[in-house]
């Protein structure tokens, strides 16, 4: 019997075994089912697994060739099969002198050359040598980009605010909804504002439309010549950048072997580097790299990304959990779930294998979450007493983000809540309470702890989830690096946009629902 079938049988056999019983039968469980790497401690003892489960999951990883796929990814093989490309985000944080080849070319010197250019630019903006068109200092940065060109940098900016200069404020515009740009520009002085137009392809409609509107806002106040001082680009598409009117001297490049959702540590992180400086950025890359090394070199039974991936597969494919909650007991990680949604669901929301056949079971669980303690006063009721199985990842830090005794005391309260929630979910209430007061327990969770939230620990955390997503994709035999599913909606929006814009009544050939919605919208807008 293969490991998959064995796990199915094992899930049935152990369905009645509760976490309460598992802990009672093994007093060392809480310390035994834990692993450490790159500054992160993972406690997975509150997952519904035993040693036999782990053995089978590790056998599954063996059968699905996880070790070979890890080597293939690190070695620059074209693991992005449908786009025939490597996925080499690990090269973005490789130390100088490491050799990583893409089709015979060592890309590490290219990576470091861009990092150095970014560093020189960021230093000039940060110390005031790079001025606006009128000779004044830049005080505000607006990053215009969407998806991977927004979520990572936006998440990191909030996460690392304590490491950021107070001289610069960074804002983010992603949505093509005019409200997004309006809000970002509110109160800003064009003479003090630098725009980063961030788009791997430089064809993304929302980003280009927002960038054009920003450009009009800037040039209306400062004149056409101001573009050179107030706009820089991050892209792989030099021609697109030129066509937009940004001098390639003001462009920071990356490569098609970096997926958008794996790019926050490339030039896409320019806003992060402006905020925390080149040294802070290097520290973040070192955190990423430390987790890369841990992932590549650590035996699977102690390997954080592999364990997290296998636990996710167990919960999703064998225990039937459709979602994965991620709850950070850190307000500064408030955007982490949104970042993870693209990372996990754009990567693994797939229904065919790399061979083109249908996948055998469910892929990408729905990632969602918020911060603790806020979530406790909202959706946690459903986690404690609802009917669905919702595995949780709890993320917390041991050191308070400040020195005062009061900050430390409040941090203790925050972390007390993290520990209490894991305990309450796992063990529930005594059974002699009235039914409406009973919490059944047996809800699985993992806890991730690091010393403190720094560029280093953030980099390691992101790499942990990146690699966990990759291992899950490998188990399901899917391409975790393409995203063809998003194309259809883009094409339909292009057709529909022209129908909404047309002055004369357009001949509509959609379904009756879409036709009726378009007609109604046009009528409301005073069009035939
Ligand atoms: O539409 C999905 C997507 O292609 C993402 O994969 C990507 O991160 C995002 O759009 C933005 O793309 P770009 O950086 O090319 O503008």
């Amino acid at each position: 019997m293969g490991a998959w079938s064995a796990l199915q049988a094992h899930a049935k056999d152990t369905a009645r075994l509760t976490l309460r019983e598992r802990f009672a039968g093994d007093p060392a469980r809480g310390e035994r089912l834990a692993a450490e790497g790159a500054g992160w401690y993972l406690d997975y003892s509150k997952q519904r697994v035993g040693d036999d489960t782990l053995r089978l999951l590790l056998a599954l990883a063996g059968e699905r060739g996880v070790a070979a796929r890890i080597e293939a990814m690190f070695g620059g093989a074209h693991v992005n099969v449908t786009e025939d490309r490597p996925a080499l985000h690990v090269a973005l944080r490789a130390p100088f002198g490491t050799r990583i080849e893409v089709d015979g070319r060592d890309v590490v010197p290219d990576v470091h050359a861009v990092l150095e250019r970014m560093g020189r630019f960021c230093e000039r903006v940060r110390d005031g040598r790079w001025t606006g068109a009128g000779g004044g200092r830049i005080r505000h940065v607006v990053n215009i980009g969407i998806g991977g060109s927004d979520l990572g940098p936006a998440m990191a900016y909030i996460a690392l605010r304590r490491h950021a200069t107070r001289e610069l404020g960074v804002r983010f515009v992603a949505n093509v909804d005019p409200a997004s740009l309006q809000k970002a520009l509110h109160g800003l002085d064009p003479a003090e504002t630098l725009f980063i137009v961030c788009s791997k392809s430089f064809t993304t409609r929302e980003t280009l439309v927002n960038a054009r509107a920003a450009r009009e806002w800037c040039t209306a106040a400062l004149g056409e010549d101001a573009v050179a001082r107030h706009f820089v680009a991050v892209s792989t598409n030099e021609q697109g950048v030129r066509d937009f009117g940004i001098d390639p001297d003001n462009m920071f490049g990356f490569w098609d072997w970096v997926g958008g959702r794996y790019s926050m540590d490339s030039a896409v992180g320019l806003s992060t580097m402006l905020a925390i400086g080149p040294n802070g950025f290097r520290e973040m890359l070192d955190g990423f790299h430390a987790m890369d090394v841990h992932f590549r070199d650590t035996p699977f039974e102690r390997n954080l990304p592999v364990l997290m991936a296998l636990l996710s597969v167990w919960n999703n494919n064998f225990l039937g959990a459709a979602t994965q909650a991620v709850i950070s007991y850190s307000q500064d990680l408030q955007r982490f779930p949104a970042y993870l949604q693209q990372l996990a669901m754009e990567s693994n929301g797939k229904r065919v294998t790399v061979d083109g056949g249908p996948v055998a079971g469910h892929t990408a669980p729905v990632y969602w979450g918020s911060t603790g303690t806020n979530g406790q006063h909202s959706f946690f009721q459903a986690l404690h007493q609802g009917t669905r199985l919702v595995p949780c990842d709890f993320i917390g830090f041991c050191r308070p983000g400040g020195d005062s005794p009061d900050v430390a005391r409040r941090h203790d309260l925050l972390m007390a809540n993290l520990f209490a929630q894991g305990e309450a979910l796992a063990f529930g209430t005594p059974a002699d309470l009235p039914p409406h007061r009973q919490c059944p327990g047996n809800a699985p969770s993992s806890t991730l702890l690091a010393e403190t939230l720094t560029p280093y620990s953030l980099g390691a955390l992101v790499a942990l989830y990146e690699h966990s997503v990759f291992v899950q994709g490998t188990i399901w035999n899917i391409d975790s690096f393409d995203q063809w599913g998003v194309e259809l909606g883009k094409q339909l929006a292009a057709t529909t946009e022209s129908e909404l814009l047309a002055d004369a009544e357009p001949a509509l050939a959609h379904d009756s629902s879409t036709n009726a919605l378009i007609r109604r919208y046009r009528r409301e807008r005073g069009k035939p």
Side-chain angles (χ1 to χ4, degrees):
M1 186 170 19
W4 191 272
S5 310
L7 279 159
Q8 282 173 322
H10 176 71
K12 266 200 195 122
D13 293 347
T14 54
R16 286 178 179 280
L17 191 55
T18 63
L19 283 170
R20 197 176 269 279
E21 288 160 342
R22 287 186 189 277
F23 272 84
D26 176 5
R29 181 181 168 93
E31 279 162 47
R32 224 166 43 76
L33 299 193
E36 267 180 90
W40 282 94
Y41 175 80
L42 167 69
D43 169 1
Y44 59 97
S45 61
K46 296 194 189 82
Q47 293 286 346
R48 282 170 25 181
V49 292
D51 293 342
D52 38 4
T53 325
L54 290 165
R55 236 185 334 269
L56 288 170
L57 287 168
L58 290 166
L60 180 66
E63 276 180 20
R64 300 288 161 107
V66 171
R69 283 280 289 179
I70 293 173
E71 278 319 296
M73 182 180 76
F74 275 86
H78 288 208
V79 291
N80 180 350
V81 181
T82 69
E83 295 179 316
D84 193 17
R85 289 174 187 164
L88 264 180
H89 36 287
V90 293
L92 297 171
R93 50 264 192 159
F96 194 74
T98 322
R99 197 176 170 84
I100 299 180
E101 288 187 5
V102 173
D103 302 329
R105 180 189 169 86
D106 180 9
V107 295
V108 177
D110 301 342
V111 167
H112 282 261
V114 173
L115 283 171
E116 270 166 36
R117 273 193 68 225
M118 287 167 65
R120 283 195 295 275
F121 172 73
C122 290
E123 291 292 19
R124 292 178 68 204
V125 175
R126 284 162 60 90
D127 67 18
R129 276 175 295 147
W130 176 287
T131 59
R137 248 186 120 102
I138 297 294
R139 302 204 178 274
H140 307 283
V141 175
V142 179
N143 186 84
I144 301 178
I146 197 163
S149 297
D150 165 68
L151 290 162
M155 177 274 289
Y157 180 62
I158 298 176
L160 300 178
R161 74 182 168 86
R162 269 183 280 128
H163 302 262
T165 172
R166 282 159 198 244
E167 301 290 317
L168 279 176
V170 185
R171 301 182 185 188
F172 294 85
V173 178
N175 200 337
V176 75
D177 182 342
S180 180
L181 184 65
Q182 274 163 16
K183 185 164 173 248
L185 297 184
H186 183 73
L188 297 193
D189 177 352
E192 299 181 337
T193 305
L194 175 75
F195 291 94
I196 303 173
V197 186
C198 190
S199 172
K200 178 180 171 185
S201 60
F202 232 77
T203 58
T204 302
R205 186 100 176 99
E206 294 95 318
T207 298
L208 295 186
V209 166
N210 277 329
R212 272 188 218 111
R215 190 191 152 121
E216 270 168 35
W217 177 83
C218 172
T219 55
L222 306 174
E224 269 302 314
D225 291 348
V227 172
R229 306 299 301 172
H230 292 270
F231 279 79
V232 298
V234 172
S235 188
T236 59
N237 175 3
E238 187 176 322
Q239 190 54 48
V241 170
R242 263 182 219 282
D243 293 346
F244 181 84
I246 296 177
D247 188 332
D249 278 353
N250 293 343
M251 164 181 163
F252 300 90
F254 60 116
W255 306 271
D256 68 3
W257 43 263
V258 181
R261 53 193 176 273
Y262 297 87
S263 68
M264 61 172 274
D265 47 345
S266 71
V268 167
L270 188 65
S271 59
T272 315
M273 194 191 273
L274 281 163
I276 66 172
N279 291 340
F281 199 78
R282 184 67 246 173
E283 201 194 303
M284 184 179 82
L285 297 183
D286 290 345
F288 271 98
H289 179 67
M291 188 58 78
D292 294 343
V293 171
H294 169 87
F295 177 50
R296 197 176 186 182
D297 294 349
T298 309
F300 285 179
E301 55 274 21
R302 287 185 279 118
N303 188 312
L304 266 61
V306 172
L307 286 169
M308 282 188 58
L310 294 176
L311 293 166
S312 181
V313 166
W314 170 246
N315 287 328
N316 177 30
N317 295 112
F318 300 99
L319 301 188
T323 81
Q324 170 69 56
V326 179
I327 319 289
S328 313
Y329 280 72
S330 160
Q331 192 58 30
D332 292 338
L333 282 180
Q334 61 182 265
R335 295 274 298 174
F336 194 61
Y339 169 76
L340 268 189
Q341 282 177 336
Q342 187 198 15
L343 179 67
M345 291 158 75
E346 198 174 67
S347 294
N348 284 343
K350 310 286 164 64
R351 56 195 304 115
V352 294
T353 65
V354 290
D355 312 310
V359 290
H362 282 301
T363 58
V366 174
Y367 277 73
W368 63 284
S370 95
T371 52
T373 61
N374 306 26
Q376 292 172 209
H377 299 273
S378 134
F379 53 81
F380 269 58
Q381 163 64 31
L383 307 189
H384 289 292
Q385 287 190 318
T387 55
R388 291 180 194 279
L389 179 70
V390 182
C392 294
D393 286 352
F394 291 115
I395 302 173
F397 298 93
C398 297
R399 272 217 339 245
D403 296 330
S404 83
D406 182 49
V407 165
R409 202 189 62 75
R410 283 184 280 147
H411 185 78
D412 289 343
L413 172 61
L414 174 74
M415 293 302 287
N417 274 275
L418 186 164
F419 301 137
Q421 289 301 323
E423 188 177 357
L425 285 168
F427 304 111
T429 53
D432 55 2
L433 290 175
H436 66 278
R437 306 224 25 191
Q438 277 179 33
C439 293
N442 210 28
S445 68
S446 294
T447 301
L448 280 164
L449 288 183
E451 190 186 304
T452 180
L453 181 54
T454 58
Y456 186 94
S457 61
L458 181 70
L461 179 69
V462 171
L464 167 56
Y465 277 94
E466 283 179 348
H467 296 320
S468 163
V469 161
F470 171 62
V471 173
Q472 291 174 57
T474 301
I475 301 278
W476 296 319
N477 196 26
I478 57 179
D479 188 336
S480 297
F481 301 109
D482 64 8
Q483 60 282 320
W484 295 103
V486 301
E487 293 306 319
L488 175 62
K490 287 186 195 172
Q491 286 160 19
L492 292 179
T495 311
T496 308
E497 185 186 358
S498 61
E499 290 163 350
L500 298 187
L501 287 173
D503 291 327
E505 187 178 352
L508 298 177
H510 306 270
D511 59 277
S512 59
S513 160
T514 310
N515 285 346
L517 290 167
I518 292 173
R519 283 198 198 101
R520 187 178 179 88
Y521 178 82
R522 283 182 56 90
R523 256 198 327 273
E524 291 285 341
R525 304 273 287 123
K527 290 182 173 177

